[in-house]
PDB file of all heavy atoms in Angstrom:
ATOM      1  N   THR A 451     -14.960  -6.371  13.321  1.00 67.00           N
ATOM      2  CA  THR A 451     -16.085  -6.064  12.425  1.00 67.00           C
ATOM      3  C   THR A 451     -15.645  -5.594  11.080  1.00 67.00           C
ATOM      4  O   THR A 451     -16.083  -6.021  10.052  1.00 67.00           O
ATOM      5  CB  THR A 451     -16.864  -4.905  13.057  1.00 67.00           C
ATOM      6  OG1 THR A 451     -17.281  -5.418  14.346  1.00 67.00           O
ATOM      7  CG2 THR A 451     -18.034  -4.504  12.267  1.00 67.00           C
ATOM      8  N   ILE A 452     -14.542  -4.780  11.068  1.00 69.00           N
ATOM      9  CA  ILE A 452     -14.078  -4.287   9.782  1.00 69.00           C
ATOM     10  C   ILE A 452     -13.502  -5.406   9.032  1.00 69.00           C
ATOM     11  O   ILE A 452     -13.546  -5.561   7.779  1.00 69.00           O
ATOM     12  CB  ILE A 452     -12.974  -3.288   9.965  1.00 69.00           C
ATOM     13  CG1 ILE A 452     -13.520  -1.991  10.614  1.00 69.00           C
ATOM     14  CG2 ILE A 452     -12.224  -2.911   8.699  1.00 69.00           C
ATOM     15  CD1 ILE A 452     -12.592  -0.935  11.003  1.00 69.00           C
ATOM     16  N   TRP A 453     -12.836  -6.430   9.733  1.00 65.00           N
ATOM     17  CA  TRP A 453     -12.238  -7.691   9.010  1.00 65.00           C
ATOM     18  C   TRP A 453     -13.324  -8.376   8.311  1.00 65.00           C
ATOM     19  O   TRP A 453     -13.140  -8.786   7.261  1.00 65.00           O
ATOM     20  CB  TRP A 453     -11.570  -8.367  10.146  1.00 65.00           C
ATOM     21  CG  TRP A 453     -11.286  -9.827   9.691  1.00 65.00           C
ATOM     22  CD1 TRP A 453     -10.392 -10.314   8.801  1.00 65.00           C
ATOM     23  CD2 TRP A 453     -12.009 -11.019  10.196  1.00 65.00           C
ATOM     24  NE1 TRP A 453     -10.341 -11.584   8.761  1.00 65.00           N
ATOM     25  CE2 TRP A 453     -11.286 -12.156   9.568  1.00 65.00           C
ATOM     26  CE3 TRP A 453     -12.987 -11.260  11.144  1.00 65.00           C
ATOM     27  CZ2 TRP A 453     -11.719 -13.428   9.772  1.00 65.00           C
ATOM     28  CZ3 TRP A 453     -13.316 -12.552  11.446  1.00 65.00           C
ATOM     29  CH2 TRP A 453     -12.688 -13.552  10.723  1.00 65.00           C
ATOM     30  N   ALA A 454     -14.445  -8.546   9.041  1.00 61.00           N
ATOM     31  CA  ALA A 454     -15.550  -9.356   8.393  1.00 61.00           C
ATOM     32  C   ALA A 454     -16.199  -8.514   7.207  1.00 61.00           C
ATOM     33  O   ALA A 454     -16.520  -9.171   6.255  1.00 61.00           O
ATOM     34  CB  ALA A 454     -16.610  -9.687   9.551  1.00 61.00           C
ATOM     35  N   MET A 455     -16.267  -7.123   7.352  1.00 62.00           N
ATOM     36  CA  MET A 455     -16.880  -6.389   6.323  1.00 62.00           C
ATOM     37  C   MET A 455     -16.057  -6.446   5.022  1.00 62.00           C
ATOM     38  O   MET A 455     -16.720  -6.297   3.895  1.00 62.00           O
ATOM     39  CB  MET A 455     -16.991  -4.909   6.732  1.00 62.00           C
ATOM     40  CG  MET A 455     -18.238  -4.762   7.813  1.00 62.00           C
ATOM     41  SD  MET A 455     -18.232  -2.992   8.184  1.00 62.00           S
ATOM     42  CE  MET A 455     -18.793  -2.309   6.662  1.00 62.00           C
ATOM     43  N   ASN A 456     -14.796  -6.610   5.178  1.00 65.00           N
ATOM     44  CA  ASN A 456     -13.945  -6.515   4.002  1.00 65.00           C
ATOM     45  C   ASN A 456     -13.838  -7.867   3.168  1.00 65.00           C
ATOM     46  O   ASN A 456     -13.044  -7.956   2.342  1.00 65.00           O
ATOM     47  CB  ASN A 456     -12.532  -6.039   4.408  1.00 65.00           C
ATOM     48  CG  ASN A 456     -12.523  -4.591   4.799  1.00 65.00           C
ATOM     49  OD1 ASN A 456     -13.313  -3.807   4.170  1.00 65.00           O
ATOM     50  ND2 ASN A 456     -11.642  -4.251   5.593  1.00 65.00           N
ATOM     51  N   LYS A 457     -14.703  -8.919   3.582  1.00 68.00           N
ATOM     52  CA  LYS A 457     -14.488 -10.178   2.871  1.00 68.00           C
ATOM     53  C   LYS A 457     -15.924 -10.649   2.490  1.00 68.00           C
ATOM     54  O   LYS A 457     -16.901 -10.634   3.181  1.00 68.00           O
ATOM     55  CB  LYS A 457     -13.864 -11.228   3.835  1.00 68.00           C
ATOM     56  CG  LYS A 457     -12.441 -10.849   4.183  1.00 68.00           C
ATOM     57  CD  LYS A 457     -11.964 -11.889   5.187  1.00 68.00           C
ATOM     58  CE  LYS A 457     -10.444 -11.661   5.472  1.00 68.00           C
ATOM     59  NZ  LYS A 457      -9.542 -11.935   4.398  1.00 68.00           N
ATOM     60  N   ASN A 458     -15.881 -11.167   1.262  1.00 72.00           N
ATOM     61  CA  ASN A 458     -17.162 -11.915   0.822  1.00 72.00           C
ATOM     62  C   ASN A 458     -17.191 -13.254   1.424  1.00 72.00           C
ATOM     63  O   ASN A 458     -18.309 -13.740   1.693  1.00 72.00           O
ATOM     64  CB  ASN A 458     -17.052 -12.018  -0.761  1.00 72.00           C
ATOM     65  CG  ASN A 458     -17.275 -10.650  -1.449  1.00 72.00           C
ATOM     66  OD1 ASN A 458     -18.103  -9.791  -0.944  1.00 72.00           O
ATOM     67  ND2 ASN A 458     -16.640 -10.448  -2.528  1.00 72.00           N
ATOM     68  N   VAL A 459     -16.088 -13.900   1.428  1.00 80.00           N
ATOM     69  CA  VAL A 459     -15.997 -15.246   2.097  1.00 80.00           C
ATOM     70  C   VAL A 459     -14.765 -15.219   3.099  1.00 80.00           C
ATOM     71  O   VAL A 459     -13.877 -14.392   2.918  1.00 80.00           O
ATOM     72  CB  VAL A 459     -15.849 -16.342   1.119  1.00 80.00           C
ATOM     73  CG1 VAL A 459     -16.939 -16.527   0.166  1.00 80.00           C
ATOM     74  CG2 VAL A 459     -14.581 -16.141   0.350  1.00 80.00           C
ATOM     75  N   ILE A 460     -14.882 -16.117   3.991  1.00 84.00           N
ATOM     76  CA  ILE A 460     -13.676 -16.108   5.093  1.00 84.00           C
ATOM     77  C   ILE A 460     -13.293 -17.640   4.970  1.00 84.00           C
ATOM     78  O   ILE A 460     -13.963 -18.522   5.210  1.00 84.00           O
ATOM     79  CB  ILE A 460     -14.289 -15.893   6.453  1.00 84.00           C
ATOM     80  CG1 ILE A 460     -14.811 -14.357   6.611  1.00 84.00           C
ATOM     81  CG2 ILE A 460     -13.154 -16.090   7.533  1.00 84.00           C
ATOM     82  CD1 ILE A 460     -15.235 -13.955   7.889  1.00 84.00           C
ATOM     83  N   THR A 461     -12.041 -17.833   4.666  1.00 85.00           N
ATOM     84  CA  THR A 461     -11.452 -19.173   4.679  1.00 85.00           C
ATOM     85  C   THR A 461     -11.261 -19.748   5.967  1.00 85.00           C
ATOM     86  O   THR A 461     -11.134 -18.947   7.021  1.00 85.00           O
ATOM     87  CB  THR A 461     -10.099 -19.082   3.889  1.00 85.00           C
ATOM     88  OG1 THR A 461      -9.142 -18.330   4.658  1.00 85.00           O
ATOM     89  CG2 THR A 461     -10.137 -18.496   2.541  1.00 85.00           C
ATOM     90  N   ALA A 462     -11.131 -21.145   6.136  1.00 82.00           N
ATOM     91  CA  ALA A 462     -10.957 -21.762   7.312  1.00 82.00           C
ATOM     92  C   ALA A 462      -9.625 -21.255   7.988  1.00 82.00           C
ATOM     93  O   ALA A 462      -9.490 -21.098   9.148  1.00 82.00           O
ATOM     94  CB  ALA A 462     -10.951 -23.164   7.085  1.00 82.00           C
ATOM     95  N   GLU A 463      -8.619 -20.872   7.018  1.00 85.00           N
ATOM     96  CA  GLU A 463      -7.289 -20.514   7.537  1.00 85.00           C
ATOM     97  C   GLU A 463      -7.502 -19.142   8.102  1.00 85.00           C
ATOM     98  O   GLU A 463      -6.893 -18.829   9.191  1.00 85.00           O
ATOM     99  CB  GLU A 463      -6.393 -20.497   6.271  1.00 85.00           C
ATOM    100  CG  GLU A 463      -4.881 -20.070   6.708  1.00 85.00           C
ATOM    101  CD  GLU A 463      -3.889 -20.086   5.459  1.00 85.00           C
ATOM    102  OE1 GLU A 463      -4.527 -20.504   4.386  1.00 85.00           O
ATOM    103  OE2 GLU A 463      -2.880 -19.861   5.725  1.00 85.00           O
ATOM    104  N   ASP A 464      -8.249 -18.225   7.478  1.00 85.00           N
ATOM    105  CA  ASP A 464      -8.492 -17.020   8.140  1.00 85.00           C
ATOM    106  C   ASP A 464      -9.056 -17.015   9.492  1.00 85.00           C
ATOM    107  O   ASP A 464      -8.689 -16.293  10.433  1.00 85.00           O
ATOM    108  CB  ASP A 464      -9.363 -16.044   7.202  1.00 85.00           C
ATOM    109  CG  ASP A 464      -8.696 -15.497   5.972  1.00 85.00           C
ATOM    110  OD1 ASP A 464      -7.364 -15.592   5.921  1.00 85.00           O
ATOM    111  OD2 ASP A 464      -9.269 -15.024   5.034  1.00 85.00           O
ATOM    112  N   LEU A 465     -10.176 -17.894   9.554  1.00 85.00           N
ATOM    113  CA  LEU A 465     -10.753 -17.994  10.841  1.00 85.00           C
ATOM    114  C   LEU A 465      -9.951 -18.556  11.925  1.00 85.00           C
ATOM    115  O   LEU A 465      -9.887 -18.167  13.072  1.00 85.00           O
ATOM    116  CB  LEU A 465     -12.010 -18.774  10.618  1.00 85.00           C
ATOM    117  CG  LEU A 465     -12.976 -19.045  12.058  1.00 85.00           C
ATOM    118  CD1 LEU A 465     -13.383 -17.636  12.441  1.00 85.00           C
ATOM    119  CD2 LEU A 465     -14.199 -19.952  11.566  1.00 85.00           C
ATOM    120  N   GLN A 466      -9.109 -19.563  11.473  1.00 87.00           N
ATOM    121  CA  GLN A 466      -8.206 -20.291  12.416  1.00 87.00           C
ATOM    122  C   GLN A 466      -7.108 -19.170  13.004  1.00 87.00           C
ATOM    123  O   GLN A 466      -6.831 -19.221  14.153  1.00 87.00           O
ATOM    124  CB  GLN A 466      -7.427 -21.432  11.640  1.00 87.00           C
ATOM    125  CG  GLN A 466      -6.351 -22.074  12.458  1.00 87.00           C
ATOM    126  CD  GLN A 466      -5.553 -23.008  11.593  1.00 87.00           C
ATOM    127  OE1 GLN A 466      -5.725 -23.183  10.475  1.00 87.00           O
ATOM    128  NE2 GLN A 466      -4.582 -23.609  12.364  1.00 87.00           N
ATOM    129  N   THR A 467      -6.632 -18.440  12.065  1.00 87.00           N
ATOM    130  CA  THR A 467      -5.711 -17.415  12.498  1.00 87.00           C
ATOM    131  C   THR A 467      -6.338 -16.343  13.446  1.00 87.00           C
ATOM    132  O   THR A 467      -5.777 -15.978  14.408  1.00 87.00           O
ATOM    133  CB  THR A 467      -5.139 -16.554  11.306  1.00 87.00           C
ATOM    134  OG1 THR A 467      -4.535 -17.385  10.415  1.00 87.00           O
ATOM    135  CG2 THR A 467      -4.168 -15.538  11.661  1.00 87.00           C
ATOM    136  N   ARG A 468      -7.608 -15.935  13.126  1.00 86.00           N
ATOM    137  CA  ARG A 468      -8.260 -14.957  13.990  1.00 86.00           C
ATOM    138  C   ARG A 468      -8.572 -15.660  15.460  1.00 86.00           C
ATOM    139  O   ARG A 468      -8.374 -14.854  16.513  1.00 86.00           O
ATOM    140  CB  ARG A 468      -9.657 -14.655  13.349  1.00 86.00           C
ATOM    141  CG  ARG A 468     -10.109 -13.210  13.702  1.00 86.00           C
ATOM    142  CD  ARG A 468      -9.310 -12.161  12.959  1.00 86.00           C
ATOM    143  NE  ARG A 468      -9.633 -10.809  13.373  1.00 86.00           N
ATOM    144  CZ  ARG A 468      -9.119  -9.761  12.948  1.00 86.00           C
ATOM    145  NH1 ARG A 468      -8.160  -9.903  12.033  1.00 86.00           N
ATOM    146  NH2 ARG A 468      -9.595  -8.579  13.318  1.00 86.00           N
ATOM    147  N   ILE A 469      -8.857 -16.858  15.469  1.00 88.00           N
ATOM    148  CA  ILE A 469      -9.255 -17.396  16.764  1.00 88.00           C
ATOM    149  C   ILE A 469      -7.865 -17.593  17.462  1.00 88.00           C
ATOM    150  O   ILE A 469      -7.859 -17.389  18.774  1.00 88.00           O
ATOM    151  CB  ILE A 469      -9.818 -18.849  16.458  1.00 88.00           C
ATOM    152  CG1 ILE A 469     -11.218 -18.748  15.968  1.00 88.00           C
ATOM    153  CG2 ILE A 469     -10.027 -19.658  17.826  1.00 88.00           C
ATOM    154  CD1 ILE A 469     -11.898 -19.969  15.467  1.00 88.00           C
ATOM    155  N   SER A 470      -6.780 -17.945  16.826  1.00 89.00           N
ATOM    156  CA  SER A 470      -5.523 -18.103  17.531  1.00 89.00           C
ATOM    157  C   SER A 470      -4.999 -16.748  18.055  1.00 89.00           C
ATOM    158  O   SER A 470      -4.553 -16.771  19.223  1.00 89.00           O
ATOM    159  CB  SER A 470      -4.431 -18.642  16.471  1.00 89.00           C
ATOM    160  OG  SER A 470      -4.776 -19.937  16.077  1.00 89.00           O
TER     161      SER A 470
END
Side-chain angles (χ1 to χ4, degrees):
T451 301
I452 294 173
W453 163 71
M455 287 182 65
N456 286 332
K457 294 179 178 292
N458 292 321
V459 296
I460 297 175
T461 65
E463 184 178 357
D464 280 346
L465 183 58
Q466 179 187 0
T467 302
R468 209 73 184 179
I469 295 171
S470 296

